[in-house]
Coordinates of all heavy atoms in Angstrom, one line a residue:
M42 N 34.4 24.0 30.1 CA 33.1 23.6 30.6 C 32.6 22.4 29.7 O 32.7 22.5 28.5 CB 32.1 24.8 30.5 CG 30.7 24.4 30.9 SD 29.6 25.8 30.8 CE 29.3 26.1 32.5
R43 N 32.1 21.4 30.3 CA 31.7 20.2 29.6 C 30.2 20.3 29.2 O 29.4 20.7 30.0 CB 31.9 19.0 30.5 CG 31.8 17.7 29.8 CD 31.9 16.6 30.7 NE 30.6 15.9 30.6 CZ 30.4 14.7 30.8 NH1 31.4 13.9 31.2 NH2 29.2 14.1 30.6
I44 N 29.9 20.0 28.0 CA 28.5 20.0 27.5 C 27.9 18.7 27.8 O 28.4 17.6 27.5 CB 28.5 20.2 26.0 CG1 29.1 21.6 25.6 CG2 27.1 20.2 25.4 CD1 29.2 21.9 24.2
P45 N 26.7 18.7 28.5 CA 26.1 17.4 28.8 C 25.6 16.7 27.6 O 25.2 17.3 26.6 CB 24.9 17.8 29.8 CG 24.7 19.2 29.4 CD 25.9 19.8 28.9
G46 N 25.6 15.4 27.7 CA 25.1 14.5 26.6 C 23.6 14.4 26.6 O 22.9 15.0 27.5
P47 N 23.1 13.7 25.7 CA 21.6 13.5 25.7 C 21.1 12.8 26.9 O 21.8 12.0 27.5 CB 21.4 12.7 24.4 CG 22.6 12.1 24.1 CD 23.7 12.9 24.7
P48 N 19.9 13.0 27.3 CA 19.3 12.3 28.4 C 19.2 10.8 28.1 O 19.0 10.4 27.0 CB 18.0 13.0 28.7 CG 17.6 13.5 27.4 CD 18.9 13.9 26.7
P49 N 19.2 10.0 29.1 CA 19.0 8.5 28.9 C 17.5 8.3 28.4 O 16.6 8.9 28.8 CB 19.2 7.9 30.2 CG 19.0 9.0 31.2 CD 19.4 10.2 30.5
L50 N 17.4 7.4 27.5 CA 16.1 7.1 26.9 C 15.5 5.7 27.4 O 14.5 5.2 26.8 CB 16.2 7.0 25.4 CG 16.6 8.4 24.7 CD1 16.7 8.2 23.2 CD2 15.6 9.4 25.0
D51 N 16.1 5.2 28.5 CA 15.6 3.9 29.0 C 14.1 4.0 29.4 O 13.4 3.0 29.2 CB 16.5 3.4 30.2 CG 17.9 3.1 29.7 OD1 18.0 2.7 28.5 OD2 18.8 3.2 30.5
G52 N 13.7 5.0 30.1 CA 12.3 5.2 30.5 C 11.3 5.2 29.4 O 10.3 4.5 29.4
L53 N 11.7 6.0 28.3 CA 10.8 6.0 27.2 C 10.8 4.7 26.4 O 9.7 4.2 26.0 CB 11.3 7.1 26.2 CG 10.6 7.2 24.9 CD1 9.1 7.6 25.1 CD2 11.2 8.3 24.0
R54 N 12.0 4.1 26.3 CA 12.0 2.8 25.7 C 11.2 1.7 26.4 O 10.5 0.9 25.7 CB 13.5 2.3 25.6 CG 13.8 1.2 24.7 CD 15.3 0.9 24.7 NE 16.0 2.0 24.0 CZ 17.1 2.6 24.6 NH1 17.6 2.2 25.8 NH2 17.7 3.6 24.0
N55 N 11.2 1.7 27.7 CA 10.4 0.8 28.5 C 8.9 1.1 28.3 O 8.1 0.1 28.2 CB 10.8 0.9 30.0 CG 12.1 0.3 30.2 OD1 12.6 -0.6 29.5 ND2 12.8 0.7 31.3
R56 N 8.5 2.4 28.3 CA 7.1 2.7 28.1 C 6.6 2.2 26.7 O 5.5 1.7 26.6 CB 6.9 4.2 28.3 CG 6.9 4.6 29.7 CD 6.7 6.1 30.0 NE 5.9 6.8 29.0 CZ 6.0 8.1 28.8 NH1 6.9 8.8 29.4 NH2 5.2 8.7 27.9
I57 N 7.4 2.4 25.7 CA 7.0 2.0 24.4 C 6.9 0.5 24.3 O 5.9 -0.1 23.8 CB 8.0 2.5 23.3 CG1 7.9 4.0 23.2 CG2 7.8 1.8 22.0 CD1 9.0 4.6 22.3
F58 N 7.8 -0.2 24.9 CA 7.8 -1.7 25.0 C 6.5 -2.2 25.7 O 5.8 -3.0 25.2 CB 9.0 -2.2 25.7 CG 9.0 -3.7 25.8 CD1 9.3 -4.5 24.7 CD2 8.7 -4.3 27.0 CE1 9.3 -5.9 24.8 CE2 8.7 -5.7 27.1 CZ 9.0 -6.5 26.0
R59 N 6.2 -1.6 26.8 CA 5.0 -2.0 27.6 C 3.7 -1.7 26.8 O 2.8 -2.5 26.7 CB 4.9 -1.3 28.9 CG 5.7 -1.9 30.0 CD 5.3 -1.4 31.4 NE 5.4 0.1 31.4 CZ 6.4 0.8 31.9 NH1 7.4 0.2 32.4 NH2 6.3 2.1 31.8
Y60 N 3.6 -0.5 26.1 CA 2.5 -0.2 25.3 C 2.3 -1.2 24.2 O 1.2 -1.6 23.9 CB 2.6 1.2 24.8 CG 1.4 1.6 23.9 CD1 0.3 2.1 24.5 CD2 1.4 1.4 22.5 CE1 -0.8 2.5 23.7 CE2 0.4 1.8 21.8 CZ -0.8 2.3 22.4 OH -1.9 2.6 21.6
R61 N 3.4 -1.5 23.5 CA 3.3 -2.5 22.4 C 2.8 -3.9 22.9 O 2.2 -4.6 22.2 CB 4.6 -2.6 21.7 CG 4.8 -1.3 20.8 CD 6.1 -1.4 20.1 NE 6.3 -0.2 19.3 CZ 7.4 0.2 18.7 NH1 8.5 -0.6 18.9 NH2 7.5 1.3 18.0
Q62 N 3.2 -4.2 24.1 CA 2.8 -5.5 24.7 C 1.3 -5.5 25.0 O 0.6 -6.5 24.8 CB 3.6 -5.9 26.0 CG 5.1 -6.1 25.7 CD 5.3 -7.3 24.8 OE1 4.7 -8.3 25.0 NE2 6.2 -7.2 23.8
E63 N 0.9 -4.4 25.5 CA -0.6 -4.3 25.9 C -1.5 -4.0 24.8 O -2.7 -4.4 24.8 CB -0.7 -3.2 27.0 CG 0.0 -3.5 28.3 CD 0.1 -2.2 29.2 OE1 -0.5 -1.2 28.8 OE2 0.7 -2.3 30.2
H64 N -1.0 -3.4 23.7 CA -1.8 -3.1 22.5 C -1.2 -3.6 21.3 O -0.7 -2.8 20.4 CB -2.0 -1.6 22.4 CG -2.5 -0.9 23.7 ND1 -1.7 -0.4 24.7 CD2 -3.8 -0.7 24.0 CE1 -2.5 0.1 25.6 NE2 -3.8 -0.1 25.3
P65 N -1.2 -4.9 21.0 CA -0.6 -5.4 19.8 C -1.4 -5.0 18.6 O -2.6 -5.0 18.6 CB -0.6 -6.9 20.0 CG -1.7 -7.2 21.0 CD -1.7 -6.0 21.9
A66 N -0.7 -4.5 17.6 CA -1.3 -4.1 16.4 C -1.9 -5.2 15.6 O -3.0 -5.1 15.0 CB -0.3 -3.3 15.5
G67 N -1.2 -6.4 15.5 CA -1.7 -7.5 14.9 C -2.1 -7.3 13.4 O -3.0 -7.9 12.9
G68 N -1.4 -6.4 12.8 CA -1.6 -6.1 11.4 C -2.8 -5.2 11.1 O -3.2 -4.9 10.0
K69 N -3.4 -4.7 12.2 CA -4.6 -3.8 12.1 C -4.1 -2.5 11.7 O -3.1 -2.0 12.0 CB -5.4 -3.8 13.3 CG -6.1 -5.1 13.7 CD -6.9 -5.0 14.9 CE -7.5 -6.3 15.2 NZ -8.3 -6.3 16.5
S70 N -5.0 -1.8 11.0 CA -4.7 -0.4 10.6 C -6.0 0.4 10.8 O -7.1 -0.1 10.9 CB -4.3 -0.4 9.1 OG -4.3 0.9 8.6
E71 N -5.8 1.7 11.0 CA -6.9 2.7 11.1 C -7.6 2.8 9.8 O -8.7 3.3 9.7 CB -6.3 4.0 11.6 CG -5.6 4.0 12.9 CD -6.6 4.3 14.0 OE1 -7.6 4.9 13.8 OE2 -6.2 3.8 15.1
F72 N -7.0 2.5 8.7 CA -7.5 2.7 7.4 C -8.4 1.6 6.8 O -8.2 0.4 7.2 CB -6.4 2.9 6.3 CG -5.7 4.2 6.6 CD1 -4.5 4.3 7.2 CD2 -6.2 5.4 6.0 CE1 -3.8 5.5 7.5 CE2 -5.5 6.6 6.2 CZ -4.4 6.7 6.9
V73 N -9.4 1.9 6.0 CA -10.2 1.0 5.3 C -9.5 0.9 3.9 O -9.3 1.9 3.3 CB -11.6 1.5 5.2 CG1 -12.4 0.5 4.3 CG2 -12.3 1.6 6.5
R74 N -9.3 -0.4 3.5 CA -8.6 -0.6 2.2 C -9.5 -1.5 1.3 O -10.1 -2.4 1.8 CB -7.3 -1.2 2.3 CG -6.2 -0.3 2.9 CD -4.9 -1.0 3.1 NE -3.9 -0.1 3.5 CZ -3.6 0.2 4.8 NH1 -4.4 -0.3 5.8 NH2 -2.7 1.1 5.1
E75 N -9.5 -1.2 0.0 CA -10.2 -2.1 -0.9 C -9.3 -2.2 -2.2 O -8.8 -1.2 -2.7 CB -11.6 -1.5 -1.3 CG -12.7 -2.3 -0.8 CD -14.1 -1.8 -1.3 OE1 -14.6 -0.9 -0.6 OE2 -14.6 -2.3 -2.3
T76 N -9.2 -3.4 -2.7 CA -8.4 -3.6 -3.9 C -9.3 -4.0 -5.0 O -10.2 -4.7 -4.9 CB -7.3 -4.7 -3.6 OG1 -6.5 -4.3 -2.5 CG2 -6.5 -5.0 -4.8
F77 N -9.0 -3.4 -6.2 CA -9.8 -3.6 -7.4 C -8.9 -4.0 -8.5 O -7.7 -3.7 -8.6 CB -10.5 -2.3 -7.8 CG -11.4 -1.7 -6.7 CD1 -10.9 -0.7 -5.9 CD2 -12.7 -2.1 -6.6 CE1 -11.7 -0.2 -4.9 CE2 -13.5 -1.6 -5.6 CZ -13.0 -0.6 -4.7
C78 N -9.5 -4.7 -9.5 CA -8.7 -5.1 -10.7 C -9.7 -4.8 -11.9 O -10.6 -5.6 -12.1 CB -8.3 -6.5 -10.7 SG -7.3 -7.0 -12.1
L79 N -9.5 -3.6 -12.5 CA -10.5 -3.2 -13.6 C -9.7 -2.7 -14.8 O -8.5 -2.5 -14.8 CB -11.3 -2.0 -13.0 CG -12.1 -2.3 -11.7 CD1 -12.5 -0.9 -11.1 CD2 -13.2 -3.2 -11.9
S80 N -10.5 -2.5 -15.9 CA -9.9 -1.9 -17.1 C -9.5 -0.5 -16.7 O -10.0 0.1 -15.8 CB -10.9 -2.0 -18.2 OG -12.0 -1.1 -18.0
R81 N -8.7 0.1 -17.5 CA -8.2 1.5 -17.2 C -9.3 2.5 -17.1 O -9.4 3.2 -16.1 CB -7.2 1.9 -18.3 CG -6.5 3.2 -18.0 CD -5.6 3.6 -19.1 NE -4.5 2.7 -19.2 CZ -3.3 2.8 -18.6 NH1 -3.1 3.8 -17.8 NH2 -2.4 1.9 -18.8
P82 N -10.3 2.5 -18.0 CA -11.4 3.5 -17.8 C -12.2 3.2 -16.6 O -12.6 4.1 -15.8 CB -12.2 3.4 -19.1 CG -11.4 2.7 -20.1 CD -10.4 1.9 -19.3
E83 N -12.5 1.9 -16.3 CA -13.3 1.6 -15.1 C -12.5 1.9 -13.8 O -13.1 2.3 -12.8 CB -13.6 0.1 -15.1 CG -14.6 -0.3 -16.2 CD -14.8 -1.8 -16.4 OE1 -13.8 -2.5 -16.0 OE2 -15.8 -2.2 -16.8
A84 N -11.2 1.7 -13.9 CA -10.3 2.0 -12.7 C -10.4 3.5 -12.4 O -10.5 3.9 -11.2 CB -8.9 1.6 -12.9
R85 N -10.3 4.4 -13.4 CA -10.4 5.8 -13.2 C -11.8 6.2 -12.6 O -11.8 7.0 -11.7 CB -10.2 6.5 -14.6 CG -8.8 6.6 -15.0 CD -8.6 7.4 -16.2 NE -7.3 7.5 -16.6 CZ -6.8 7.4 -17.9 NH1 -7.7 7.4 -18.9 NH2 -5.5 7.5 -18.1
E86 N -12.8 5.6 -13.2 CA -14.2 5.9 -12.7 C -14.3 5.4 -11.2 O -14.9 6.2 -10.4 CB -15.2 5.2 -13.5 CG -16.6 5.5 -13.1 CD -17.0 7.0 -13.2 OE1 -16.4 7.7 -14.1 OE2 -17.8 7.4 -12.4
K87 N -13.8 4.3 -10.9 CA -13.9 3.8 -9.5 C -13.1 4.7 -8.5 O -13.6 5.1 -7.4 CB -13.3 2.4 -9.4 CG -13.4 1.8 -8.0 CD -14.8 1.7 -7.4 CE -15.6 0.7 -8.0 NZ -17.0 0.6 -7.3
A88 N -12.0 5.2 -8.9 CA -11.2 6.1 -8.1 C -11.9 7.4 -7.9 O -12.0 7.9 -6.8 CB -9.8 6.3 -8.7
R89 N -12.6 7.9 -9.0 CA -13.4 9.1 -8.9 C -14.5 8.9 -7.9 O -14.8 9.8 -7.1 CB -13.9 9.5 -10.3 CG -12.9 10.2 -11.1 CD -13.5 10.8 -12.4 NE -12.5 11.2 -13.3 CZ -12.2 10.5 -14.4 NH1 -12.9 9.4 -14.8 NH2 -11.2 10.8 -15.2
E90 N -15.2 7.8 -8.0 CA -16.3 7.5 -7.1 C -15.8 7.6 -5.6 O -16.5 8.2 -4.8 CB -16.8 6.1 -7.3 CG -17.7 5.9 -8.5 CD -18.1 4.5 -8.8 OE1 -18.0 3.6 -7.8 OE2 -18.4 4.2 -9.9
W91 N -14.7 7.0 -5.3 CA -14.1 7.0 -4.0 C -13.8 8.4 -3.5 O -14.2 8.8 -2.4 CB -12.9 6.2 -3.9 CG -13.1 4.8 -3.4 CD1 -13.9 3.8 -4.1 CD2 -12.6 4.1 -2.3 NE1 -13.9 2.7 -3.4 CE2 -13.1 2.8 -2.3 CE3 -11.9 4.5 -1.2 CZ2 -12.8 1.9 -1.3 CZ3 -11.6 3.6 -0.2 CH2 -12.1 2.3 -0.2
F92 N -13.2 9.2 -4.4 CA -12.9 10.6 -4.0 C -14.1 11.5 -3.9 O -14.2 12.4 -3.1 CB -11.9 11.2 -5.0 CG -10.5 10.7 -4.8 CD1 -9.9 9.9 -5.8 CD2 -9.8 11.0 -3.7 CE1 -8.6 9.5 -5.7 CE2 -8.5 10.6 -3.5 CZ -7.9 9.8 -4.5
D93 N -15.2 11.2 -4.7 CA -16.4 11.9 -4.5 C -17.2 11.5 -3.2 O -17.7 12.4 -2.5 CB -17.4 11.6 -5.7 CG -16.9 12.3 -7.0 OD1 -16.0 13.2 -6.9 OD2 -17.3 11.9 -8.1
E94 N -17.2 10.2 -2.9 CA -17.9 9.7 -1.8 C -17.2 10.0 -0.5 O -17.7 10.3 0.6 CB -18.2 8.2 -1.9 CG -19.1 7.7 -0.8 CD -19.6 6.3 -1.0 OE1 -19.5 5.8 -2.2 OE2 -20.1 5.7 -0.1
F95 N -15.8 9.9 -0.5 CA -15.0 10.1 0.7 C -13.9 11.2 0.3 O -12.8 10.8 0.0 CB -14.3 8.8 1.0 CG -15.2 7.6 1.2 CD1 -15.3 6.6 0.2 CD2 -16.1 7.5 2.2 CE1 -16.1 5.5 0.3 CE2 -17.0 6.4 2.4 CZ -17.0 5.5 1.4
P96 N -14.3 12.4 0.5 CA -13.3 13.5 0.1 C -12.0 13.4 0.9 O -11.9 13.0 2.0 CB -14.1 14.8 0.6 CG -15.5 14.4 0.7 CD -15.5 12.9 1.1
K97 N -10.9 13.7 0.1 CA -9.6 13.5 0.6 C -9.3 14.3 1.9 O -8.7 13.8 2.8 CB -8.6 13.9 -0.4 CG -7.1 13.7 0.0 CD -6.2 14.0 -1.2 CE -4.8 13.8 -0.8 NZ -4.3 12.5 -1.0
A98 N -9.9 15.5 2.0 CA -9.7 16.4 3.1 C -10.2 15.8 4.4 O -9.7 15.9 5.5 CB -10.3 17.8 2.9
A99 N -11.3 15.1 4.3 CA -12.0 14.5 5.5 C -11.5 13.1 5.8 O -11.4 12.7 7.0 CB -13.5 14.5 5.4
Y100 N -11.3 12.3 4.8 CA -11.1 10.8 4.9 C -9.6 10.4 4.6 O -9.3 9.3 4.7 CB -12.0 10.0 4.0 CG -13.5 10.1 4.5 CD1 -14.3 11.1 4.0 CD2 -14.0 9.2 5.4 CE1 -15.6 11.1 4.4 CE2 -15.3 9.2 5.7 CZ -16.1 10.2 5.2 OH -17.4 10.3 5.6
W101 N -8.8 11.3 4.2 CA -7.4 11.1 3.8 C -7.4 10.0 2.6 O -6.5 9.1 2.6 CB -6.6 10.6 4.9 CG -6.3 11.6 6.0 CD1 -6.8 12.9 6.1 CD2 -5.4 11.4 7.1 NE1 -6.3 13.5 7.2 CE2 -5.5 12.6 7.8 CE3 -4.7 10.4 7.6 CZ2 -4.8 12.7 9.0 CZ3 -4.0 10.5 8.7 CH2 -4.0 11.7 9.4
T102 N -8.4 10.1 1.8 CA -8.5 9.1 0.7 C -7.3 9.2 -0.3 O -6.9 10.3 -0.6 CB -9.8 9.4 -0.1 OG1 -10.9 9.3 0.9 CG2 -10.1 8.3 -1.2
E103 N -6.8 8.1 -0.7 CA -5.8 8.1 -1.7 C -5.7 6.7 -2.4 O -6.2 5.7 -1.9 CB -4.4 8.4 -1.1 CG -3.8 7.4 -0.2 CD -2.5 7.8 0.3 OE1 -2.2 9.0 0.4 OE2 -1.7 6.9 0.7
V104 N -5.1 6.7 -3.6 CA -4.7 5.5 -4.2 C -3.4 5.1 -3.6 O -2.4 5.7 -3.7 CB -4.5 5.7 -5.8 CG1 -4.1 4.4 -6.4 CG2 -5.8 6.2 -6.4
E105 N -3.5 4.0 -2.8 CA -2.3 3.6 -2.0 C -1.3 2.9 -2.9 O -0.1 3.2 -2.8 CB -2.8 2.6 -1.0 CG -1.7 2.2 0.0 CD -2.2 1.4 1.2 OE1 -2.7 0.3 0.9 OE2 -2.0 1.9 2.3
S106 N -1.7 2.1 -3.9 CA -0.8 1.4 -4.8 C -1.5 1.0 -6.0 O -2.7 0.9 -6.0 CB -0.1 0.2 -4.1 OG -1.1 -0.8 -3.9
W107 N -0.8 0.9 -7.1 CA -1.4 0.4 -8.4 C -0.3 -0.2 -9.3 O 0.8 0.1 -9.1 CB -2.1 1.6 -9.1 CG -1.2 2.6 -9.6 CD1 -0.7 3.7 -9.0 CD2 -0.7 2.7 -11.0 NE1 0.1 4.4 -9.8 CE2 0.1 3.8 -11.0 CE3 -0.8 1.9 -12.1 CZ2 0.8 4.2 -12.2 CZ3 -0.1 2.2 -13.2 CH2 0.7 3.4 -13.3
R108 N -0.8 -1.0 -10.2 CA 0.1 -1.6 -11.2 C -0.7 -2.0 -12.4 O -1.9 -2.3 -12.3 CB 0.9 -2.8 -10.6 CG 0.0 -4.0 -10.3 CD 0.8 -5.1 -9.6 NE -0.1 -6.3 -9.3 CZ 0.1 -7.5 -9.7 NH1 1.2 -7.8 -10.4 NH2 -0.7 -8.5 -9.4
Q109 N -0.1 -2.1 -13.5 CA -0.8 -2.5 -14.8 C -0.5 -4.0 -14.9 O 0.6 -4.4 -14.8 CB -0.2 -1.7 -16.0 CG -0.9 -2.0 -17.2 CD -0.5 -1.2 -18.4 OE1 0.2 -0.2 -18.2 NE2 -0.9 -1.5 -19.6
I110 N -1.6 -4.7 -15.2 CA -1.4 -6.2 -15.4 C -2.2 -6.5 -16.7 O -3.1 -5.9 -17.2 CB -2.0 -7.0 -14.2 CG1 -3.5 -6.6 -14.0 CG2 -1.2 -6.8 -13.0 CD1 -4.1 -7.5 -12.9
D111 N -1.7 -7.6 -17.3 CA -2.3 -8.2 -18.5 C -3.1 -7.2 -19.4 O -4.3 -7.1 -19.2 CB -3.2 -9.4 -18.1 CG -2.5 -10.5 -17.5 OD1 -1.3 -10.6 -17.7 OD2 -3.1 -11.2 -16.7
G112 N -2.4 -6.6 -20.3 CA -3.1 -5.7 -21.2 C -3.3 -4.4 -20.6 O -2.5 -3.7 -20.1
D113 N -4.6 -4.0 -20.6 CA -5.0 -2.6 -20.1 C -5.7 -2.7 -18.8 O -6.5 -1.8 -18.5 CB -5.9 -2.0 -21.2 CG -5.8 -0.5 -21.1 OD1 -4.8 0.1 -20.6 OD2 -6.8 0.2 -21.5
R114 N -5.5 -3.7 -18.0 CA -6.1 -3.8 -16.7 C -5.2 -3.2 -15.6 O -4.0 -3.3 -15.7 CB -6.4 -5.3 -16.4 CG -7.5 -5.9 -17.4 CD -7.9 -7.2 -17.0 NE -8.6 -7.3 -15.7 CZ -9.9 -6.9 -15.5 NH1 -10.6 -6.4 -16.5 NH2 -10.5 -7.1 -14.3
I115 N -5.8 -2.6 -14.6 CA -5.1 -1.9 -13.6 C -5.6 -2.6 -12.2 O -6.8 -2.7 -12.0 CB -5.4 -0.4 -13.5 CG1 -5.1 0.2 -14.9 CG2 -4.7 0.3 -12.4 CD1 -3.7 0.3 -15.2
E116 N -4.6 -3.0 -11.4 CA -4.9 -3.5 -10.1 C -4.5 -2.3 -9.2 O -3.3 -1.9 -9.2 CB -4.1 -4.7 -9.8 CG -4.4 -5.3 -8.4 CD -3.6 -6.5 -8.1 OE1 -2.4 -6.4 -7.9 OE2 -4.2 -7.6 -8.0
F117 N -5.4 -1.9 -8.3 CA -5.1 -0.8 -7.4 C -5.8 -0.9 -6.1 O -6.8 -1.6 -6.0 CB -5.4 0.6 -8.1 CG -6.9 0.7 -8.4 CD1 -7.7 1.6 -7.6 CD2 -7.5 0.1 -9.4 CE1 -9.0 1.7 -7.8 CE2 -8.8 0.3 -9.7 CZ -9.6 1.1 -8.9
T118 N -5.2 -0.3 -5.1 CA -5.8 -0.3 -3.7 C -6.1 1.1 -3.3 O -5.3 2.0 -3.4 CB -4.8 -0.9 -2.7 OG1 -4.5 -2.3 -3.1 CG2 -5.4 -1.0 -1.3
M119 N -7.4 1.3 -2.9 CA -7.8 2.6 -2.4 C -7.8 2.5 -0.9 O -8.1 1.5 -0.3 CB -9.2 2.9 -2.9 CG -9.4 3.1 -4.4 SD -8.5 4.5 -5.1 CE -9.3 5.8 -4.2
R120 N -7.4 3.6 -0.3 CA -7.3 3.7 1.2 C -8.0 4.9 1.7 O -8.0 6.0 1.1 CB -5.9 3.7 1.6 CG -5.6 3.8 3.1 CD -4.2 3.9 3.4 NE -3.8 5.3 3.3 CZ -2.6 5.7 3.7 NH1 -1.7 4.8 4.0 NH2 -2.3 7.0 3.6
R121 N -8.8 4.8 2.8 CA -9.4 5.9 3.5 C -9.6 5.7 4.9 O -9.5 4.5 5.4 CB -10.8 6.2 2.8 CG -11.8 5.1 3.1 CD -13.2 5.4 2.6 NE -14.1 4.3 2.7 CZ -14.8 4.0 3.8 NH1 -14.6 4.7 4.9 NH2 -15.6 3.0 3.9
L122 N -9.9 6.7 5.7 CA -10.2 6.5 7.1 C -11.7 6.0 7.2 O -12.5 6.3 6.3 CB -10.1 7.9 7.8 CG -8.7 8.3 8.1 CD1 -8.7 9.7 8.7 CD2 -7.9 7.4 9.0
P123 N -12.0 5.3 8.2 CA -13.4 4.8 8.3 C -14.5 5.8 8.4 O -15.6 5.6 8.0 CB -13.4 3.9 9.5 CG -12.1 4.2 10.3 CD -11.2 4.9 9.3
S124 N -14.2 7.0 9.1 CA -15.1 8.0 9.2 C -14.4 9.4 9.4 O -13.3 9.4 9.8 CB -16.1 7.8 10.4 OG -15.3 7.8 11.6
A125 N -15.1 10.4 9.0 CA -14.6 11.7 9.2 C -15.0 12.3 10.5 O -16.1 12.1 11.0 CB -15.1 12.6 8.1
D126 N -14.1 13.0 11.1 CA -14.4 13.7 12.4 C -15.0 15.0 12.2 O -14.9 15.7 11.3 CB -13.1 13.8 13.3 CG -12.6 12.5 13.7 OD1 -13.4 11.5 13.7 OD2 -11.5 12.4 14.2

C-alpha cells in the first residue's frame, strides 16, 4: 500500500502572495519602539519607567536590543504594543 505524499501547497502559496500584494508591510510594525542613549544608571531607570508604565503582561514590553558605547553609556531600544486589550 502506497502512503500518499503531502498535499499541494500551491493554493496557500497563492493566497499568501495575494495578501502580501494587497497589504504591504512597508517596514511597519505593530510595536512602538524608542531608542535611548543614556548612562548606565539612567538607562536602568528609563527601562524601569517603561516596565512600570507599560506592564510586560499587557504590552509585551521588552528591551529589544542594547549595547555599551563610549565609556559607561548604554544605547538601547525599548519595544511595546501601542495599547493593551
Side-chain angles (χ1 to χ4, degrees):
M42 176 180 252
R43 193 184 118 149
I44 299 174
L50 297 177
D51 292 335
L53 177 60
R54 194 175 295 126
N55 290 336
R56 284 180 30 206
I57 291 171
F58 177 77
R59 277 194 310 261
Y60 179 84
R61 288 181 178 166
Q62 294 297 316
E63 294 170 4
H64 303 92
K69 292 182 183 177
S70 171
E71 299 269 336
F72 290 98
V73 174
R74 290 177 173 85
E75 249 184 274
T76 301
F77 304 93
C78 185
L79 304 167
S80 68
R81 186 178 299 267
E83 292 170 334
R85 285 186 179 141
E86 184 59 34
K87 181 56 75 176
R89 281 189 195 106
E90 286 174 19
W91 268 62
F92 284 112
D93 289 343
E94 189 170 345
F95 309 106
K97 184 175 180 88
Y100 292 90
W101 294 3
T102 305
E103 70 176 27
V104 177
E105 187 173 59
S106 63
W107 68 274
R108 67 184 180 128
Q109 185 172 350
I110 56 173
D111 297 334
D113 204 25
R114 296 187 61 79
I115 305 294
E116 180 182 71
F117 63 104
T118 300
M119 295 295 298
R120 178 180 89 172
R121 67 173 173 86
L122 288 174
S124 65
D126 291 344

